[in-house]
Amino acid sequence: TSGVIVVAKTTAAFSSVSQAFARREVQKTYLAIAVGGRKYFFGHKPGSGHLVDIPIGRSPGDRRRMDAVPVECGGRPSMSMIRGIAQDQDLMLMEVRPRTGRTHQIRVHLAQEHSPVLGDPVYGWESHNRRFAGLAPRPMLHAYRIAFAHPRTGEQMEFEAPLHDDMKRLLWRLEPEPGEYDFVDHLLGNRAADAETAARELQGVEASPSSAP
C-alpha cells in the first residue's frame, strides 16, 4: 500500500495518537483500483457510500490470510464505507473509509464483494492480475487522506498523499461518475495533460500479455 503514514516523534505523541486510533477518532480515506464492479457502490454523495459490515478473522485454512469469519467463530466486527468514483468495463476507482482497523480489512472486504483490489496477489483475481501485470505490479491501494487531532494542541490536522504514478496511469482510462470530475482532475493533477501519452502506455502494456503463454 502506498500513501500517507503517521509517525510519532515523542512517546507522548505516540500514546495520544495510538489512543485516538483505538477510540476510532482517526478518519482514514483510501483509494483503490478494483476489478469487477458492484452497481451499489456508485451513485453515493461524498461522505456517504455502501456500508460493508463483514467480520474478519484468521482464515481457518491458512493462518497467514485473513477472511470473512463469523463473530461466533472468532471474527472481529469490521466495517468499511465504499463509494465508486470512476469506472470502465474492467476497472473502477473506489473511495474506502474504514470504520474499523482490522488487518487487511479493505482488501478482504472488497474481495468479499467480488471487487478485489487489482494487483493483490493474496485476495485478487489471478486473471486480471496477469492481464494488467505491466500496469499493476503491486496492490493498487493507496492511503489517500488521514485526519486526527494534534496530540498536544487538539487542533484538527489533515494530510493527503498524492496518487502514485502507477495508479494515475490506470485512472486515465476510467470515466468519472457524474459530479466526480473535479475530484478525479485533482487526483491526476490535470486530466487533459499528457492524455495521449497515457493512452499509448496503456495500449502498449495491455497488448503485451497476449503473447505470453
Side-chain angles (χ1 to χ4, degrees):
T1 303
S2 59
V4 65
I5 60 173
V6 178
V7 178
K9 299 175 68 174
T10 67
T11 301
F14 175 80
S15 176
S16 176
V17 173
S18 296
Q19 291 176 33
F21 272 101
R23 293 192 298 263
R24 301 180 186 176
E25 296 173 350
V26 178
Q27 301 170 31
K28 298 166 287 184
T29 303
Y30 289 77
L31 296 173
I33 293 181
V35 304
R38 293 297 199 183
K39 291 183 179 180
Y40 48 66
F41 287 146
F42 293 89
H44 300 284
K45 295 180 180 180
S48 63
H50 174 76
L51 179 64
V52 177
D53 185 356
I54 300 176
I56 292 175
R58 293 286 175 185
S59 171
D62 185 348
R63 302 299 293 176
R64 295 170 299 179
R65 291 170 52 103
M66 308 303 289
D67 206 345
V69 177
V71 172
E72 57 269 24
C73 297
R76 302 180 69 186
S78 308
M79 293 179 288
S80 302
M81 188 71 74
I82 302 176
R83 184 170 72 95
I85 303 295
Q87 63 180 321
D88 69 358
Q89 68 274 18
D90 298 307
L91 306 176
M92 54 187 177
L93 176 69
M94 315 300 291
E95 176 192 79
V96 185
R97 290 180 293 117
R99 293 186 174 180
T100 50
R102 311 305 179 205
T103 302
H104 297 178
Q105 175 173 316
I106 294 173
R107 296 163 64 191
V108 171
H109 275 173
L110 285 173
Q112 287 294 313
E113 292 290 331
H114 305 283
S115 305
V117 175
L118 179 66
D120 190 334
V122 179
Y123 307 103
W125 289 350
E126 185 178 354
S127 59
H128 284 72
N129 289 349
R130 284 200 307 267
R131 178 182 172 188
F132 291 96
L135 291 167
R138 65 175 180 92
M140 295 288 101
L141 181 61
H142 179 78
Y144 173 62
R145 181 188 296 119
I146 192 165
F148 57 94
H150 190 283
R152 182 170 54 83
T153 67
E155 177 186 359
Q156 190 68 14
M157 312 287 289
E158 184 173 302
F159 304 92
E160 291 184 0
L163 278 183
H164 194 276
D165 287 345
D166 53 8
M167 289 187 70
K168 284 185 178 180
R169 283 193 291 269
L170 288 163
L171 182 54
W172 280 113
R173 61 177 285 152
L174 307 185
E175 180 68 19
E177 290 293 291
E180 301 293 352
Y181 281 87
D182 288 345
F183 181 47
V184 172
D185 280 345
H186 173 69
L187 293 175
L188 291 172
N190 182 351
R191 189 172 177 81
D194 299 326
E196 184 176 347
T197 300
R200 284 200 304 268
E201 290 181 359
L202 284 168
Q203 292 171 358
V205 174
E206 284 194 72
S208 59
S210 62
S211 60

